[in-house]
């Protein structure tokens, strides 16, 4: 891969999303008013917007790279992890989600490296991974959008994320087993 492939437009969008994380966290942790939360949410919306378009741009203009295939989900997971970690302070059940999330992502990283070492090609996300990411993003967005959401409602949303994460994790385990069996 050439140096320019690391700095094409879709990959720059991925780097930008990662750079937005400390901005979001700083704004979120300093938020005191509804307006403050909306500003933090606007930064998050910019991140989601760039995530939506980076893959479309890469495919449309033939800028798909193996690096971009890895960078995009890394930026996704860093974003989700940062939001979830921030929400632990507000919702205790979020700690269960973060623990499961970390286990899944460590598994995905280790399995990805193992498959690469065995000579398998780096592929983009499968459909259930994309659906899982989209649903988690929406729920995390709602939890930020409504900082005074009743605890029962928030716990119901967090429980949905936990169940979804278990399902997606299981699907990936099955997927990796099928790849390893050939």
């Amino acid at each position: 891969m050439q140096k320019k492939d690391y700095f094409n437009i879709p990959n720059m969008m991925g780097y930008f999303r990662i750079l937005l994380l400390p901005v979001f966290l700083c704004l979120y942790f300093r938020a005191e008013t509804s307006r403050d939360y909306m500003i933090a949410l606007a930064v998050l919306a910019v991140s989601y917007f760039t995530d939506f378009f980076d893959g479309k741009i890469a495919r449309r203009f033939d800028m798909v790279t193996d690096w971009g295939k890895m960078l995009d989900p890394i930026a996704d997971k860093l974003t989700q992890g940062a939001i979830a970690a921030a929400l632990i302070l507000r919702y205790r059940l979020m700690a269960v989600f973060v623990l499961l999330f970390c286990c899944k992502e460590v598994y995905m990283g280790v399995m990805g490296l193992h498959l690469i070492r065995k000579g398998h090609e780096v592929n983009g996300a499968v459909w259930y991974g994309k659906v899982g990411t989209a649903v988690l993003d929406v729920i995390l967005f709602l939890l930020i959008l409504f900082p005074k959401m009743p605890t029962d409602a928030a716990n119901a949303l967090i429980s949905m994320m936990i169940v979804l994460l278990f399902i997606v994790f299981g699907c990936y385990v099955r997927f990796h087993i099928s790849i390893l069996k050939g």
Side-chain angles (χ1 to χ4, degrees), residues 15-76:
Y15 302 138
F16 179 67
R17 288 173 51 213
I18 293 169
L19 291 174
L20 285 177
L21 291 176
V23 175
F24 162 76
L25 289 170
C26 185
L27 291 169
Y28 179 78
F29 284 126
R30 291 184 177 176
E32 293 178 2
T33 67
S34 293
R35 182 179 181 279
D36 294 340
Y37 284 107
M38 288 301 129
I39 293 169
L41 202 56
V43 170
L44 198 55
V46 169
S47 176
Y48 287 160
F49 182 77
T50 57
D51 181 33
F52 180 76
F53 283 106
D54 64 355
K56 292 186 183 314
I57 292 169
R59 288 184 293 279
R60 171 73 172 91
F61 296 102
D62 196 29
M63 295 179 176
V64 175
T65 63
D66 284 344
W67 175 247
K69 290 179 192 176
M70 292 188 308
L71 177 63
D72 186 59
I74 288 169
D76 289 343

Short mmCIF file of all heavy atoms in Angstrom, two decimals, residues 15-76:
data_model
loop_
_atom_site.label_atom_id
_atom_site.label_comp_id
_atom_site.label_asym_id
_atom_site.label_seq_id
_atom_site.Cartn_x
_atom_site.Cartn_y
_atom_site.Cartn_z
N TYR A 15 -9.77 9.49 10.54
CA TYR A 15 -8.88 10.16 11.51
C TYR A 15 -9.63 11.31 12.19
O TYR A 15 -9.49 11.52 13.40
CB TYR A 15 -7.63 10.72 10.83
CG TYR A 15 -6.80 9.71 10.09
CD1 TYR A 15 -6.26 10.02 8.84
CD2 TYR A 15 -6.53 8.45 10.61
CE1 TYR A 15 -5.48 9.11 8.14
CE2 TYR A 15 -5.76 7.53 9.91
CZ TYR A 15 -5.24 7.87 8.67
OH TYR A 15 -4.48 6.97 7.99
N PHE A 16 -10.39 12.05 11.40
CA PHE A 16 -11.15 13.18 11.94
C PHE A 16 -12.14 12.71 13.01
O PHE A 16 -12.27 13.33 14.06
CB PHE A 16 -11.88 13.90 10.79
CG PHE A 16 -12.72 15.07 11.22
CD1 PHE A 16 -12.14 16.21 11.74
CD2 PHE A 16 -14.11 15.02 11.10
CE1 PHE A 16 -12.91 17.29 12.14
CE2 PHE A 16 -14.88 16.10 11.49
CZ PHE A 16 -14.28 17.23 12.02
N ARG A 17 -12.80 11.59 12.75
CA ARG A 17 -13.74 11.04 13.73
C ARG A 17 -13.03 10.72 15.04
O ARG A 17 -13.57 10.97 16.12
CB ARG A 17 -14.40 9.77 13.18
CG ARG A 17 -15.40 10.07 12.09
CD ARG A 17 -15.94 8.83 11.43
NE ARG A 17 -16.42 7.86 12.38
CZ ARG A 17 -16.35 6.55 12.21
NH1 ARG A 17 -15.79 6.05 11.13
NH2 ARG A 17 -16.83 5.74 13.11
N ILE A 18 -11.85 10.17 14.94
CA ILE A 18 -11.09 9.84 16.16
C ILE A 18 -10.69 11.12 16.90
O ILE A 18 -10.77 11.19 18.13
CB ILE A 18 -9.87 8.97 15.81
CG1 ILE A 18 -10.35 7.59 15.32
CG2 ILE A 18 -8.94 8.82 17.02
CD1 ILE A 18 -9.28 6.72 14.70
N LEU A 19 -10.30 12.15 16.15
CA LEU A 19 -9.93 13.43 16.77
C LEU A 19 -11.13 14.12 17.42
O LEU A 19 -10.95 14.92 18.35
CB LEU A 19 -9.28 14.35 15.74
CG LEU A 19 -7.90 13.92 15.25
CD1 LEU A 19 -7.43 14.83 14.11
CD2 LEU A 19 -6.90 13.92 16.38
N LEU A 20 -12.33 13.83 16.96
CA LEU A 20 -13.53 14.42 17.56
C LEU A 20 -13.84 13.84 18.94
O LEU A 20 -14.54 14.48 19.74
CB LEU A 20 -14.75 14.23 16.65
CG LEU A 20 -14.83 15.11 15.42
CD1 LEU A 20 -16.06 14.74 14.59
CD2 LEU A 20 -14.87 16.59 15.79
N LEU A 21 -13.32 12.66 19.25
CA LEU A 21 -13.66 12.01 20.52
C LEU A 21 -13.28 12.83 21.75
O LEU A 21 -14.12 13.03 22.63
CB LEU A 21 -13.04 10.61 20.60
CG LEU A 21 -13.65 9.60 19.64
CD1 LEU A 21 -12.91 8.28 19.71
CD2 LEU A 21 -15.13 9.41 19.95
N PRO A 22 -12.04 13.31 21.87
CA PRO A 22 -11.74 14.13 23.05
C PRO A 22 -12.55 15.42 23.10
O PRO A 22 -12.89 15.89 24.19
CB PRO A 22 -10.24 14.40 22.96
CG PRO A 22 -9.80 13.95 21.63
CD PRO A 22 -10.85 13.07 21.05
N VAL A 23 -12.89 15.96 21.93
CA VAL A 23 -13.72 17.17 21.90
C VAL A 23 -15.10 16.84 22.47
O VAL A 23 -15.62 17.55 23.34
CB VAL A 23 -13.85 17.72 20.45
CG1 VAL A 23 -14.81 18.90 20.40
CG2 VAL A 23 -12.48 18.10 19.91
N PHE A 24 -15.69 15.75 21.99
CA PHE A 24 -17.00 15.34 22.50
C PHE A 24 -16.95 15.09 24.00
O PHE A 24 -17.80 15.58 24.75
CB PHE A 24 -17.49 14.06 21.79
CG PHE A 24 -18.59 13.38 22.55
CD1 PHE A 24 -19.88 13.89 22.53
CD2 PHE A 24 -18.33 12.25 23.31
CE1 PHE A 24 -20.88 13.29 23.28
CE2 PHE A 24 -19.32 11.64 24.05
CZ PHE A 24 -20.61 12.17 24.03
N LEU A 25 -15.96 14.31 24.46
CA LEU A 25 -15.87 13.97 25.88
C LEU A 25 -15.71 15.21 26.75
O LEU A 25 -16.35 15.33 27.80
CB LEU A 25 -14.74 12.98 26.12
CG LEU A 25 -14.99 11.57 25.58
CD1 LEU A 25 -13.72 10.73 25.67
CD2 LEU A 25 -16.14 10.91 26.31
N CYS A 26 -14.88 16.12 26.30
CA CYS A 26 -14.67 17.37 27.05
C CYS A 26 -15.99 18.15 27.15
O CYS A 26 -16.36 18.61 28.24
CB CYS A 26 -13.59 18.19 26.38
SG CYS A 26 -13.16 19.68 27.28
N LEU A 27 -16.67 18.29 26.04
CA LEU A 27 -17.95 19.01 26.03
C LEU A 27 -18.99 18.29 26.89
O LEU A 27 -19.73 18.93 27.65
CB LEU A 27 -18.47 19.17 24.60
CG LEU A 27 -17.67 20.12 23.71
CD1 LEU A 27 -18.11 19.98 22.25
CD2 LEU A 27 -17.84 21.56 24.18
N TYR A 28 -19.04 16.97 26.79
CA TYR A 28 -20.03 16.19 27.53
C TYR A 28 -19.80 16.30 29.04
O TYR A 28 -20.73 16.53 29.81
CB TYR A 28 -20.02 14.73 27.08
CG TYR A 28 -21.00 13.88 27.84
CD1 TYR A 28 -22.36 13.92 27.54
CD2 TYR A 28 -20.59 13.06 28.88
CE1 TYR A 28 -23.28 13.17 28.25
CE2 TYR A 28 -21.50 12.29 29.59
CZ TYR A 28 -22.83 12.35 29.27
OH TYR A 28 -23.74 11.60 29.99
N PHE A 29 -18.56 16.11 29.47
CA PHE A 29 -18.27 16.13 30.91
C PHE A 29 -18.41 17.52 31.51
O PHE A 29 -18.64 17.65 32.71
CB PHE A 29 -16.89 15.55 31.20
CG PHE A 29 -16.85 14.05 31.10
CD1 PHE A 29 -15.93 13.43 30.28
CD2 PHE A 29 -17.74 13.27 31.80
CE1 PHE A 29 -15.88 12.05 30.18
CE2 PHE A 29 -17.71 11.88 31.70
CZ PHE A 29 -16.79 11.27 30.89
N ARG A 30 -18.29 18.55 30.70
CA ARG A 30 -18.46 19.92 31.19
C ARG A 30 -19.89 20.43 31.04
O ARG A 30 -20.19 21.53 31.49
CB ARG A 30 -17.51 20.85 30.45
CG ARG A 30 -16.07 20.61 30.83
CD ARG A 30 -15.17 21.59 30.16
NE ARG A 30 -13.79 21.37 30.60
CZ ARG A 30 -12.77 22.02 30.15
NH1 ARG A 30 -12.93 22.97 29.24
NH2 ARG A 30 -11.56 21.75 30.58
N ALA A 31 -20.74 19.64 30.41
CA ALA A 31 -22.11 20.07 30.15
C ALA A 31 -22.89 20.24 31.45
O ALA A 31 -22.84 19.39 32.34
CB ALA A 31 -22.82 19.06 29.24
N GLU A 32 -23.58 21.37 31.52
CA GLU A 32 -24.43 21.64 32.68
C GLU A 32 -25.86 21.96 32.26
O GLU A 32 -26.79 21.72 33.02
CB GLU A 32 -23.86 22.82 33.49
CG GLU A 32 -22.53 22.49 34.13
CD GLU A 32 -21.94 23.67 34.89
OE1 GLU A 32 -22.58 24.74 34.95
OE2 GLU A 32 -20.84 23.50 35.43
N THR A 33 -26.03 22.48 31.06
CA THR A 33 -27.35 22.86 30.59
C THR A 33 -27.74 22.00 29.38
O THR A 33 -26.88 21.33 28.79
CB THR A 33 -27.37 24.35 30.16
OG1 THR A 33 -26.52 24.49 29.01
CG2 THR A 33 -26.88 25.25 31.28
N SER A 34 -29.00 22.07 29.01
CA SER A 34 -29.46 21.35 27.82
C SER A 34 -28.70 21.81 26.59
O SER A 34 -28.35 21.01 25.72
CB SER A 34 -30.95 21.58 27.61
OG SER A 34 -31.68 20.98 28.64
N ARG A 35 -28.41 23.09 26.52
CA ARG A 35 -27.65 23.65 25.38
C ARG A 35 -26.25 23.03 25.33
O ARG A 35 -25.77 22.68 24.25
CB ARG A 35 -27.56 25.17 25.51
CG ARG A 35 -26.83 25.82 24.36
CD ARG A 35 -26.79 27.36 24.53
NE ARG A 35 -26.14 27.99 23.44
CZ ARG A 35 -24.80 28.09 23.29
NH1 ARG A 35 -24.00 27.59 24.20
NH2 ARG A 35 -24.29 28.69 22.23
N ASP A 36 -25.61 22.86 26.48
CA ASP A 36 -24.28 22.25 26.53
C ASP A 36 -24.32 20.82 25.98
O ASP A 36 -23.44 20.40 25.23
CB ASP A 36 -23.74 22.22 27.96
CG ASP A 36 -23.47 23.60 28.54
OD1 ASP A 36 -23.33 24.56 27.74
OD2 ASP A 36 -23.41 23.71 29.77
N TYR A 37 -25.35 20.07 26.39
CA TYR A 37 -25.50 18.69 25.89
C TYR A 37 -25.75 18.69 24.39
O TYR A 37 -25.25 17.82 23.68
CB TYR A 37 -26.61 17.95 26.63
CG TYR A 37 -26.21 17.50 28.02
CD1 TYR A 37 -26.71 18.14 29.14
CD2 TYR A 37 -25.32 16.45 28.19
CE1 TYR A 37 -26.34 17.74 30.42
CE2 TYR A 37 -24.93 16.04 29.46
CZ TYR A 37 -25.45 16.69 30.57
OH TYR A 37 -25.07 16.29 31.82
N MET A 38 -26.50 19.65 23.90
CA MET A 38 -26.77 19.74 22.46
C MET A 38 -25.49 20.03 21.67
O MET A 38 -25.30 19.50 20.57
CB MET A 38 -27.82 20.81 22.16
CG MET A 38 -29.22 20.44 22.59
SD MET A 38 -29.77 18.93 21.78
CE MET A 38 -30.33 18.03 23.20
N ILE A 39 -24.61 20.83 22.22
CA ILE A 39 -23.33 21.11 21.55
C ILE A 39 -22.50 19.83 21.49
O ILE A 39 -21.93 19.50 20.44
CB ILE A 39 -22.58 22.26 22.25
CG1 ILE A 39 -23.35 23.57 22.07
CG2 ILE A 39 -21.15 22.38 21.71
CD1 ILE A 39 -22.84 24.71 22.92
N ALA A 40 -22.44 19.09 22.59
CA ALA A 40 -21.71 17.82 22.60
C ALA A 40 -22.34 16.86 21.59
O ALA A 40 -21.63 16.16 20.85
CB ALA A 40 -21.71 17.21 24.00
N LEU A 41 -23.65 16.85 21.55
CA LEU A 41 -24.37 15.99 20.61
C LEU A 41 -24.11 16.39 19.17
O LEU A 41 -24.02 15.53 18.29
CB LEU A 41 -25.87 16.06 20.92
CG LEU A 41 -26.72 14.92 20.45
CD1 LEU A 41 -26.22 13.58 20.97
CD2 LEU A 41 -28.16 15.14 20.88
N ALA A 42 -23.96 17.68 18.91
CA ALA A 42 -23.66 18.15 17.56
C ALA A 42 -22.30 17.62 17.10
O ALA A 42 -22.15 17.22 15.93
CB ALA A 42 -23.68 19.68 17.51
N VAL A 43 -21.33 17.59 18.00
CA VAL A 43 -20.02 17.03 17.65
C VAL A 43 -20.18 15.54 17.32
O VAL A 43 -19.60 15.04 16.34
CB VAL A 43 -19.00 17.24 18.81
CG1 VAL A 43 -17.73 16.44 18.58
CG2 VAL A 43 -18.70 18.72 18.97
N LEU A 44 -20.98 14.85 18.10
CA LEU A 44 -21.24 13.44 17.84
C LEU A 44 -21.96 13.26 16.50
O LEU A 44 -21.64 12.34 15.74
CB LEU A 44 -22.09 12.88 18.98
CG LEU A 44 -22.13 11.39 19.16
CD1 LEU A 44 -20.75 10.80 19.29
CD2 LEU A 44 -22.98 11.06 20.39
N ALA A 45 -22.88 14.14 16.18
CA ALA A 45 -23.60 14.07 14.91
C ALA A 45 -22.64 14.25 13.73
O ALA A 45 -22.77 13.56 12.71
CB ALA A 45 -24.71 15.12 14.87
N VAL A 46 -21.67 15.14 13.86
CA VAL A 46 -20.66 15.31 12.81
C VAL A 46 -19.88 14.01 12.63
O VAL A 46 -19.61 13.58 11.50
CB VAL A 46 -19.71 16.49 13.13
CG1 VAL A 46 -18.51 16.51 12.19
CG2 VAL A 46 -20.47 17.81 13.07
N SER A 47 -19.54 13.36 13.73
CA SER A 47 -18.83 12.09 13.66
C SER A 47 -19.67 11.04 12.93
O SER A 47 -19.17 10.33 12.05
CB SER A 47 -18.48 11.60 15.07
OG SER A 47 -17.87 10.34 15.03
N TYR A 48 -20.95 10.93 13.29
CA TYR A 48 -21.84 9.97 12.63
C TYR A 48 -21.99 10.30 11.14
O TYR A 48 -22.03 9.40 10.31
CB TYR A 48 -23.22 9.95 13.30
CG TYR A 48 -23.26 9.29 14.67
CD1 TYR A 48 -24.30 9.57 15.54
CD2 TYR A 48 -22.29 8.40 15.09
CE1 TYR A 48 -24.38 8.97 16.79
CE2 TYR A 48 -22.35 7.81 16.34
CZ TYR A 48 -23.40 8.09 17.18
OH TYR A 48 -23.48 7.50 18.41
N PHE A 49 -22.10 11.58 10.83
CA PHE A 49 -22.25 12.02 9.45
C PHE A 49 -21.03 11.61 8.61
O PHE A 49 -21.18 11.07 7.52
CB PHE A 49 -22.44 13.54 9.43
CG PHE A 49 -22.67 14.12 8.07
CD1 PHE A 49 -23.89 14.02 7.44
CD2 PHE A 49 -21.64 14.80 7.41
CE1 PHE A 49 -24.11 14.57 6.18
CE2 PHE A 49 -21.84 15.34 6.16
CZ PHE A 49 -23.08 15.23 5.54
N THR A 50 -19.83 11.84 9.14
CA THR A 50 -18.63 11.47 8.39
C THR A 50 -18.50 9.96 8.28
O THR A 50 -18.04 9.44 7.27
CB THR A 50 -17.36 12.08 9.02
OG1 THR A 50 -17.26 11.67 10.38
CG2 THR A 50 -17.36 13.58 8.93
N ASP A 51 -18.96 9.23 9.31
CA ASP A 51 -18.94 7.77 9.26
C ASP A 51 -19.87 7.27 8.15
O ASP A 51 -19.53 6.34 7.42
CB ASP A 51 -19.36 7.18 10.60
CG ASP A 51 -19.34 5.66 10.61
OD1 ASP A 51 -18.48 5.07 9.92
OD2 ASP A 51 -20.17 5.06 11.31
N PHE A 52 -21.00 7.91 8.00
CA PHE A 52 -21.97 7.50 6.99
C PHE A 52 -21.40 7.68 5.58
O PHE A 52 -21.62 6.85 4.70
CB PHE A 52 -23.26 8.32 7.15
CG PHE A 52 -24.32 7.96 6.15
CD1 PHE A 52 -25.07 6.81 6.29
CD2 PHE A 52 -24.57 8.79 5.06
CE1 PHE A 52 -26.05 6.47 5.36
CE2 PHE A 52 -25.55 8.47 4.14
CZ PHE A 52 -26.29 7.32 4.29
N PHE A 53 -20.64 8.75 5.38
CA PHE A 53 -20.17 9.06 4.03
C PHE A 53 -18.79 8.52 3.67
O PHE A 53 -18.47 8.40 2.49
CB PHE A 53 -20.22 10.57 3.78
CG PHE A 53 -21.60 11.06 3.52
CD1 PHE A 53 -22.29 11.76 4.48
CD2 PHE A 53 -22.23 10.78 2.33
CE1 PHE A 53 -23.58 12.19 4.25
CE2 PHE A 53 -23.53 11.20 2.07
CZ PHE A 53 -24.20 11.91 3.05
N ASP A 54 -17.94 8.18 4.64
CA ASP A 54 -16.59 7.76 4.27
C ASP A 54 -16.57 6.51 3.41
O ASP A 54 -15.87 6.45 2.40
CB ASP A 54 -15.68 7.63 5.50
CG ASP A 54 -16.09 6.55 6.48
OD1 ASP A 54 -17.15 5.92 6.30
OD2 ASP A 54 -15.34 6.34 7.45
N GLY A 55 -17.40 5.53 3.75
CA GLY A 55 -17.45 4.31 2.94
C GLY A 55 -18.05 4.54 1.56
O GLY A 55 -17.60 3.98 0.56
N LYS A 56 -19.07 5.39 1.51
CA LYS A 56 -19.70 5.71 0.22
C LYS A 56 -18.69 6.40 -0.71
O LYS A 56 -18.61 6.09 -1.89
CB LYS A 56 -20.93 6.58 0.44
CG LYS A 56 -22.06 5.87 1.13
CD LYS A 56 -23.30 6.72 1.19
CE LYS A 56 -24.42 6.04 1.94
NZ LYS A 56 -24.67 4.68 1.62
N ILE A 57 -17.93 7.33 -0.16
CA ILE A 57 -16.91 8.03 -0.95
C ILE A 57 -15.83 7.06 -1.40
O ILE A 57 -15.41 7.07 -2.56
CB ILE A 57 -16.31 9.20 -0.14
CG1 ILE A 57 -17.36 10.30 0.06
CG2 ILE A 57 -15.06 9.76 -0.82
CD1 ILE A 57 -16.96 11.37 1.05
N ALA A 58 -15.40 6.19 -0.48
CA ALA A 58 -14.35 5.22 -0.82
C ALA A 58 -14.78 4.32 -1.97
O ALA A 58 -14.00 4.09 -2.91
CB ALA A 58 -13.99 4.39 0.41
N ARG A 59 -16.01 3.83 -1.92
CA ARG A 59 -16.49 2.95 -2.99
C ARG A 59 -16.74 3.71 -4.29
O ARG A 59 -16.37 3.25 -5.36
CB ARG A 59 -17.76 2.22 -2.54
CG ARG A 59 -17.47 1.13 -1.50
CD ARG A 59 -18.72 0.34 -1.14
NE ARG A 59 -19.71 1.14 -0.42
CZ ARG A 59 -19.67 1.41 0.88
NH1 ARG A 59 -18.68 0.94 1.62
NH2 ARG A 59 -20.61 2.13 1.45
N ARG A 60 -17.34 4.86 -4.19
CA ARG A 60 -17.69 5.65 -5.39
C ARG A 60 -16.46 6.09 -6.16
O ARG A 60 -16.46 6.11 -7.39
CB ARG A 60 -18.53 6.87 -4.96
CG ARG A 60 -18.80 7.88 -6.06
CD ARG A 60 -19.81 7.37 -7.06
NE ARG A 60 -20.21 8.39 -8.00
CZ ARG A 60 -19.62 8.61 -9.17
NH1 ARG A 60 -18.60 7.88 -9.55
NH2 ARG A 60 -20.04 9.56 -9.97
N PHE A 61 -15.41 6.48 -5.46
CA PHE A 61 -14.22 7.02 -6.11
C PHE A 61 -13.03 6.05 -6.07
O PHE A 61 -11.89 6.47 -6.22
CB PHE A 61 -13.85 8.37 -5.48
CG PHE A 61 -14.89 9.42 -5.70
CD1 PHE A 61 -15.78 9.76 -4.69
CD2 PHE A 61 -15.03 10.04 -6.93
CE1 PHE A 61 -16.77 10.72 -4.90
CE2 PHE A 61 -16.01 10.99 -7.16
CZ PHE A 61 -16.89 11.33 -6.14
N ASP A 62 -13.33 4.78 -5.87
CA ASP A 62 -12.32 3.71 -5.88
C ASP A 62 -11.15 4.03 -4.94
O ASP A 62 -9.98 3.98 -5.32
CB ASP A 62 -11.81 3.49 -7.32
CG ASP A 62 -11.06 2.17 -7.45
OD1 ASP A 62 -11.37 1.23 -6.69
OD2 ASP A 62 -10.15 2.09 -8.30
N MET A 63 -11.49 4.38 -3.70
CA MET A 63 -10.48 4.70 -2.68
C MET A 63 -10.50 3.68 -1.54
O MET A 63 -10.02 3.97 -0.45
CB MET A 63 -10.74 6.10 -2.11
CG MET A 63 -10.57 7.22 -3.09
SD MET A 63 -10.93 8.77 -2.24
CE MET A 63 -10.56 9.94 -3.52
N VAL A 64 -11.07 2.51 -1.79
CA VAL A 64 -11.12 1.47 -0.76
C VAL A 64 -9.71 0.92 -0.55
O VAL A 64 -9.03 0.57 -1.52
CB VAL A 64 -12.09 0.34 -1.15
CG1 VAL A 64 -12.06 -0.79 -0.14
CG2 VAL A 64 -13.50 0.89 -1.33
N THR A 65 -9.27 0.89 0.72
CA THR A 65 -7.96 0.34 1.06
C THR A 65 -8.12 -0.63 2.22
O THR A 65 -9.08 -0.54 2.99
CB THR A 65 -6.96 1.45 1.48
OG1 THR A 65 -7.44 2.07 2.67
CG2 THR A 65 -6.78 2.49 0.38
N ASP A 66 -7.17 -1.55 2.35
CA ASP A 66 -7.18 -2.44 3.51
C ASP A 66 -7.08 -1.64 4.81
O ASP A 66 -7.71 -1.95 5.81
CB ASP A 66 -6.04 -3.47 3.44
CG ASP A 66 -6.33 -4.57 2.44
OD1 ASP A 66 -7.51 -4.74 2.03
OD2 ASP A 66 -5.39 -5.30 2.07
N TRP A 67 -6.27 -0.57 4.78
CA TRP A 67 -6.13 0.28 5.96
C TRP A 67 -7.48 0.90 6.32
O TRP A 67 -7.88 0.94 7.47
CB TRP A 67 -5.06 1.36 5.71
CG TRP A 67 -4.97 2.33 6.84
CD1 TRP A 67 -5.30 3.65 6.82
CD2 TRP A 67 -4.54 2.05 8.18
NE1 TRP A 67 -5.09 4.21 8.05
CE2 TRP A 67 -4.63 3.25 8.91
CE3 TRP A 67 -4.09 0.91 8.83
CZ2 TRP A 67 -4.29 3.34 10.25
CZ3 TRP A 67 -3.75 0.99 10.17
CH2 TRP A 67 -3.85 2.20 10.86
N GLY A 68 -8.20 1.40 5.32
CA GLY A 68 -9.51 2.00 5.56
C GLY A 68 -10.51 0.99 6.10
O GLY A 68 -11.35 1.32 6.94
N LYS A 69 -10.42 -0.27 5.62
CA LYS A 69 -11.30 -1.33 6.12
C LYS A 69 -11.06 -1.59 7.60
O LYS A 69 -11.96 -2.05 8.30
CB LYS A 69 -11.09 -2.61 5.33
CG LYS A 69 -11.60 -2.57 3.92
CD LYS A 69 -11.30 -3.90 3.24
CE LYS A 69 -11.51 -3.87 1.77
NZ LYS A 69 -11.12 -5.15 1.14
N MET A 70 -9.84 -1.33 8.07
CA MET A 70 -9.54 -1.50 9.50
C MET A 70 -9.82 -0.21 10.27
O MET A 70 -10.32 -0.25 11.39
CB MET A 70 -8.10 -1.94 9.69
CG MET A 70 -7.83 -3.34 9.19
SD MET A 70 -6.21 -4.01 9.58
CE MET A 70 -5.09 -2.77 9.05
N LEU A 71 -9.48 0.93 9.66
CA LEU A 71 -9.63 2.22 10.34
C LEU A 71 -11.09 2.53 10.67
O LEU A 71 -11.40 2.99 11.77
CB LEU A 71 -9.03 3.34 9.49
CG LEU A 71 -9.18 4.76 10.03
CD1 LEU A 71 -8.43 4.92 11.35
CD2 LEU A 71 -8.66 5.77 9.01
N ASP A 72 -11.99 2.29 9.74
CA ASP A 72 -13.40 2.64 9.94
C ASP A 72 -14.00 1.92 11.16
O ASP A 72 -14.58 2.59 12.02
CB ASP A 72 -14.20 2.36 8.67
CG ASP A 72 -15.63 2.85 8.81
OD1 ASP A 72 -15.84 4.05 9.04
OD2 ASP A 72 -16.55 2.02 8.69
N PRO A 73 -13.87 0.60 11.27
CA PRO A 73 -14.44 -0.03 12.47
C PRO A 73 -13.70 0.36 13.75
O PRO A 73 -14.30 0.40 14.82
CB PRO A 73 -14.35 -1.52 12.19
CG PRO A 73 -13.44 -1.68 11.05
CD PRO A 73 -13.42 -0.38 10.30
N ILE A 74 -12.41 0.66 13.64
CA ILE A 74 -11.68 1.12 14.84
C ILE A 74 -12.27 2.45 15.30
O ILE A 74 -12.53 2.65 16.49
CB ILE A 74 -10.17 1.23 14.56
CG1 ILE A 74 -9.55 -0.16 14.45
CG2 ILE A 74 -9.47 2.05 15.64
CD1 ILE A 74 -8.12 -0.17 13.93
N ALA A 75 -12.51 3.37 14.36
CA ALA A 75 -13.11 4.66 14.71
C ALA A 75 -14.52 4.46 15.27
O ALA A 75 -14.91 5.11 16.25
CB ALA A 75 -13.14 5.59 13.49
N ASP A 76 -15.28 3.52 14.68
CA ASP A 76 -16.62 3.20 15.19
C ASP A 76 -16.55 2.75 16.64
O ASP A 76 -17.29 3.23 17.51
CB ASP A 76 -17.28 2.07 14.39
CG ASP A 76 -17.70 2.46 13.00
OD1 ASP A 76 -17.79 3.66 12.70
OD2 ASP A 76 -17.95 1.54 12.19
#
